[in-house]
Amino acid sequence: MSNVLEVQSLHVDFHLHGGYVQAVQDVSFHIKEGETLGLVGESGCGKSVTSLALVRLLSKTARVTGKVLYKGRDLLQVSGPELRRVRGGEVSMIFQEPMTSLNPVYKIGAQISEALRLHDKVSPRAAFARSLEMLRKVGIARPEEIMHAYPHQLSGGMRQRVMIAIAMVCSPSLLIADEPTTALDVTIQAQILELMKMLSQDFGTSVLLITHDLGVVAETCDRVAVMYAGNIVEQGNVEDIFASPEHPYTQGLLKAIPKIDSVVKERLQPIEGTVPTPARMPAGCRFAPRCALVQPGCRLERPSLYTVGDEHVARCFLHDRKEVAQ
Amino acid sequence: MLKYTLRRIIEAIPTVLGVTLLSFVLIHIVPGSPVRILLGNHYTPYRAELLSRTLGLNKPLPVQYFTWLGNLLHGNFGYSYTYDKPVVSLMLQALPHTIIIVVVAVLAAHVFAVFLGSVQAYFENTKFDQIVTVINYFFYSMPTFWLAVLLIIFFSIDLNWFPSGGIVNTQLASPSFGDWAKHLVLPIAALFLVSVAGWARYMRSSMREALLQDYVRTARMKGAKEFRVIFVHALRNSILPLITLLGLSLPALLSGALFVEEVFNYPGMGLLYWDAVNSRDYPIIMGITVFVGLVTVIGNLIADLLYGLIDPRIQYT
Ligand SMILES: Nc1ncnc2c1ncn2[C@@H]1O[C@H](COP(=O)(O)OP(=O)(O)OP(=O)(O)O)[C@@H](O)[C@H]1O
Ligand SMILES: [Mg+2]
């Protein structure tokens, strides 16, 4: 199977107070056709920055280097018109904040049809019909009415469904969903995830699902990349990562998930400490200050990604006798 | 919405009355009496007494005010002291001249300021933005009458492109439309320039804010061009504060028109007011005060209604 997206050594620096701070460093991953890749990590580790960098949606203060190969074309190099053809048409995105992501002064119908009309030559009437159809597909009751509603008349869950309709209306090959359920009620979260799963299967869309919830990853993803402080620290198939996490950070994250089916009520063990901000990165391994298994060498040098299994890599000196991954 | 409009108008009545009272008190505090000015060289105490009596100026001030108010409620603005004509007919004569320069200047300035401020916000902190900001400050801080004088010096005296005052060339037997239009250019330009500067600054900050919003990112994600992102998605949101400003700025513009009309000797409401103040022609001063009060109320009302049209979150009840 070929790769829809291949990210090679992505770096993002922000121009700040006359200097640069590194938000994302040497991030590489790929997504195969029809596959869902989870990108997990604590708040502030650079998930949103990574996802926005892929389609060049970061502010002008960001400096992005590396390669973002979408079906072989480097999105960081393509011209403006070509980038706009890809955005929305082939690569779509859903954001973390459904409450503010829709334009408050335009009707829902207009906002969905706009996405269509920017890419396909369709009449206003046909665009309206297809938008209505899309609203129905994202499970909105009374779609005819909602077409004429304004965003402020909708709940958060409805707005996120509308965002999904906007993102999927052109049947993109890749959907980037940046914590699409974080802002929603728990009961709505499951419905939205189910909807995304169903639509991406129907449309054959590959998904990059960003989340800080490993439970969500277990249910929806094929593979997972774990991010910590701007780096990917572990990557592999979901089963492998859950069965044998090789990086102390991943191990810590897994210990922090509540197990509903466990007989004995285990105490959750959150990882001590906080994610370092880009301006105050530790010199060696970025996780060293919080790591239970830290060695003196960890604070001096930064580990590479080592191959720890089939399609499974980890950025930790515990595995430094193994091969360095590409 | 009709109910809302009516309620707003009724609520405004006390404000307008308050303004007339204030204005009445102020014109009587200012030294100088209309009688003295009207009589000029023919002044004698006897004649002054007689004229005071005819004009009703010998009565106590509260009586004068309530007499005036009573007449106003019957739609009677009174008689001008100096022109010997009803105030209403003088105002109606001057009004179209003021309306044309104010309306053209307001509309042109608004459209241009919205465009300029948006582009400035988009190119925030570039050389372009900095240069435009400096130019804006220059016009913003310049007194209106001084700007009007400068325009006359450059375009009328030095270049001789436009006439320096009036509304038609009195030397011509039958002044043409073109001649009239030529007389409008400099007064409109003066009002335009002083308005654009302030509004463009508001627009710049409002658009700056809008461009940082999440829905702008959504528009880009859909594949919209930058032009569309700015002028379709961000504009409609960022223009809202400017509409309120438009309502508030109408009276300010009328006072701007006052200086401009005076400098250009342009026979509009401003010049009428100016002359009335100089000759202490109380009925005209009070009449124009009522008019400006009404314009302010109506301006704000129109702004609020427009706001509701543009922002679907606003409901009028
Ligand atoms: N425009 C910017 N300028 C400077 N620093 C930024 C900018 N945007 C993000 N950052 C920094 O980059 C780091 C990563 O932020 P990012 O938003 O990607 O985190 P995240 O993993 O998405 O977190 P969350 O789960 O809270 O959404 C943060 O430390 C943040 O402060
Ligand atoms: Mg985020």
Side-chain angles (χ1 to χ4, degrees):
Chain A
M1 256 197 297
S2 60
N3 290 335
V4 173
L5 187 76
E6 195 170 331
V7 177
Q8 294 174 0
S9 187
L10 185 76
H11 290 251
V12 180
D13 305 327
F14 285 104
H15 196 80
L16 208 66
H17 312 305
Y20 277 95
V21 291
Q22 296 185 335
V24 169
Q25 211 205 15
D26 195 17
V27 161
S28 304
F29 58 85
H30 64 271
I31 304 176
K32 292 178 214 151
E33 238 166 65
E35 181 183 60
T36 296
L37 174 72
L39 186 61
V40 291
E42 283 168 288
S43 188
C45 69
K47 305 180 299 287
S48 295
V49 170
T50 302
S51 66
L52 291 169
L54 302 182
V55 275
R56 283 159 60 179
L57 278 174
L58 285 171
S59 65
K60 286 176 222 157
T61 56
R63 186 176 62 187
V64 182
T65 58
K67 281 195 171 126
V68 176
L69 299 172
Y70 168 72
K71 296 191 174 167
R73 278 174 294 166
D74 187 355
L75 294 185
L76 298 182
Q77 303 298 332
V78 297
S79 67
E82 196 172 347
L83 178 68
R84 286 195 293 272
R85 263 199 301 283
V86 171
R87 279 181 185 169
E90 299 180 58
V91 179
S92 262
M93 203 160 166
I94 307 171
F95 302 107
Q96 206 164 339
E97 309 84 6
M99 300 313 278
T100 52
S101 291
L102 293 168
N103 195 326
V105 300
Y106 292 108
K107 289 181 180 168
I108 300 298
Q111 300 196 47
I112 305 176
S113 346
E114 181 188 21
L116 254 178
R117 303 197 64 198
L118 284 168
H119 295 284
D120 298 350
K121 276 206 156 47
V122 286
S123 69
R125 183 177 294 219
F128 188 91
R130 276 176 63 185
S131 305
L132 184 66
E133 183 53 34
M134 199 61 221
L135 265 189
R136 199 167 282 133
K137 275 195 193 141
V138 297
I140 282 192
R142 295 175 288 114
E144 291 87 357
E145 214 171 294
I146 299 301
M147 285 292 280
H148 296 285
Y150 287 99
H152 72 277
Q153 298 166 313
L154 273 55
S155 67
M158 298 247 289
R159 290 191 212 185
Q160 199 61 303
R161 284 175 195 268
V162 170
M163 276 304 291
I164 294 175
I166 291 175
M168 299 299 286
V169 74
C170 293
S171 324
S173 311
L174 175 66
L175 175 69
I176 303 170
D178 185 1
E179 306 202 37
T181 60
T182 306
L184 305 174
D185 288 347
V186 184
T187 45
I188 314 280
Q189 286 187 6
Q191 294 172 12
I192 296 283
L193 285 169
E194 191 51 40
L195 172 70
M196 282 180 45
K197 203 167 159 181
M198 191 192 79
L199 282 179
S200 57
Q201 274 167 12
D202 275 10
F203 288 54
T205 302
S206 311
V207 179
L208 174 62
L209 178 66
I210 294 169
T211 175
H212 56 244
D213 186 344
L214 277 169
V216 168
V217 171
E219 275 173 43
T220 47
C221 299
D222 303 304
R223 280 186 313 117
V224 56
V226 181
M227 243 182 128
Y228 183 79
N231 282 150
I232 286 184
V233 293
E234 183 160 5
Q235 192 172 177
N237 292 317
V238 168
E239 302 83 45
D240 297 341
I241 299 257
F242 275 75
S244 60
E246 298 292 351
H247 194 285
Y249 178 63
T250 318
Q251 292 164 0
L253 281 183
L254 283 168
K255 278 194 197 125
I257 325 180
K259 290 191 186 64
I260 302 167
D261 51 352
S262 70
V263 187
V264 195
K265 279 268 175 270
E266 282 178 71
R267 265 181 73 97
L268 290 185
Q269 300 175 16
I271 309 169
E272 302 234 332
T274 50
V275 184
T277 59
R280 302 170 164 266
M281 277 305 164
C285 171
R286 292 177 173 187
F287 186 59
R290 298 171 76 187
C291 184
L293 308 173
V294 62
Q295 306 288 312
C298 297
R299 299 190 195 272
L300 301 175
E301 220 184 314
R302 202 155 277 178
S304 321
L305 277 173
Y306 301 100
T307 305
V308 293
D310 184 28
E311 286 203 319
H312 189 171
V313 294
R315 192 184 288 278
C316 180
F317 285 125
L318 291 175
H319 308 286
D320 65 353
R321 255 156 294 160
K322 294 176 185 136
E323 210 180 319
V324 173
Q326 284 305 308
Chain B
M1 197 153 95
L2 191 71
K3 227 172 97 189
Y4 172 81
T5 310
L6 278 176
R7 208 188 69 211
R8 281 287 303 269
I9 289 175
I10 291 167
E11 279 172 1
I13 290 175
T15 319
V16 175
L17 285 183
V19 170
T20 63
L21 183 62
L22 195 67
S23 168
F24 185 82
V25 171
L26 280 177
I27 56 180
H28 283 92
I29 288 177
V30 177
S33 99
V35 173
R36 219 187 176 100
I37 294 167
L38 278 172
L39 288 175
N41 290 336
H42 306 288
Y43 183 87
T44 64
Y46 174 71
R47 282 184 179 151
E49 176 64 27
L50 214 62
L51 189 57
S52 284
R53 211 171 282 233
T54 335
L55 299 178
L57 292 172
N58 56 337
K59 298 196 187 107
L61 287 183
V63 176
Q64 287 188 36
Y65 178 70
F66 284 107
T67 313
W68 173 82
L69 197 61
N71 286 336
L72 183 71
L73 293 181
H74 292 94
N76 181 359
F77 279 80
Y79 249 66
S80 156
Y81 301 161
T82 35
Y83 299 96
D84 203 22
K85 275 187 185 168
V87 169
V88 170
S89 71
L90 287 169
M91 284 187 359
L92 285 180
Q93 212 174 0
L95 189 58
H97 295 307
T98 297
I99 287 183
I100 184 122
I101 59 170
V102 169
V103 167
V104 173
V106 165
L107 288 184
H110 237 71
V111 171
F112 187 70
V114 163
F115 180 77
L116 186 67
S118 303
V119 176
Q120 261 187 285
Y122 189 76
F123 294 106
E124 193 194 346
N125 295 335
T126 58
K127 273 269 150 13
F128 165 80
D129 178 34
Q130 284 160 358
I131 291 170
V132 174
T133 300
V134 170
I135 297 174
N136 274 350
Y137 266 113
F138 179 75
F139 284 111
Y140 187 70
S141 50
M142 186 179 278
T144 314
F145 72 90
W146 177 235
L147 180 64
V149 169
L150 284 186
L151 287 177
I152 291 181
I153 293 176
F154 283 121
F155 294 101
S156 191
I157 298 175
D158 286 354
L159 295 169
N160 201 16
W161 286 355
F162 301 106
S164 65
I167 41 167
V168 285
N169 188 345
T170 45
Q171 314 283 309
L172 296 175
S174 57
S176 62
F177 175 82
D179 180 54
W180 173 67
K182 255 185 164 178
H183 283 80
L184 293 180
V185 172
L186 290 187
I188 289 176
L191 281 179
F192 173 85
L193 287 173
V194 292
S195 319
V196 160
W199 290 342
R201 285 179 53 215
Y202 272 98
M203 190 61 202
R204 178 180 178 277
S205 73
S206 180
M207 177 58 88
R208 230 187 104 212
E209 186 106 336
L211 286 174
L212 295 174
Q213 300 301 309
D214 290 340
Y215 59 77
V216 165
R217 191 178 57 191
T218 305
R220 291 203 172 106
M221 180 281 284
K222 288 179 187 175
K225 285 191 176 137
E226 289 302 280
F227 185 86
R228 193 176 166 83
V229 170
I230 303 172
F231 291 106
V232 174
H233 285 275
L235 183 73
R236 186 137 169 210
N237 287 278
S238 57
I239 209 165
L240 292 170
L242 231 71
I243 286 172
T244 313
L245 205 66
L246 174 75
L248 290 175
S249 62
L250 261 187
L253 261 167
L254 287 177
S255 69
L258 192 138
F259 292 113
V260 168
E261 291 181 4
E262 146 68 10
V263 173
F264 287 99
N265 194 29
Y266 180 91
M269 295 282 269
L271 193 59
L272 183 65
Y273 190 77
W274 182 275
D275 290 342
V277 169
N278 280 332
S279 58
R280 308 289 186 277
D281 196 332
Y282 296 155
I284 294 186
I285 298 176
M286 294 303 289
I288 293 182
T289 304
V290 172
F291 174 76
V292 173
L294 287 180
V295 167
T296 309
V297 170
I298 293 172
N300 278 326
L301 184 63
I302 292 178
D304 284 352
L305 293 178
L306 261 180
Y307 203 111
L309 272 184
I310 294 184
D311 189 342
R313 285 164 296 188
I314 309 280
Q315 296 281 325
Y316 293 117
T317 43

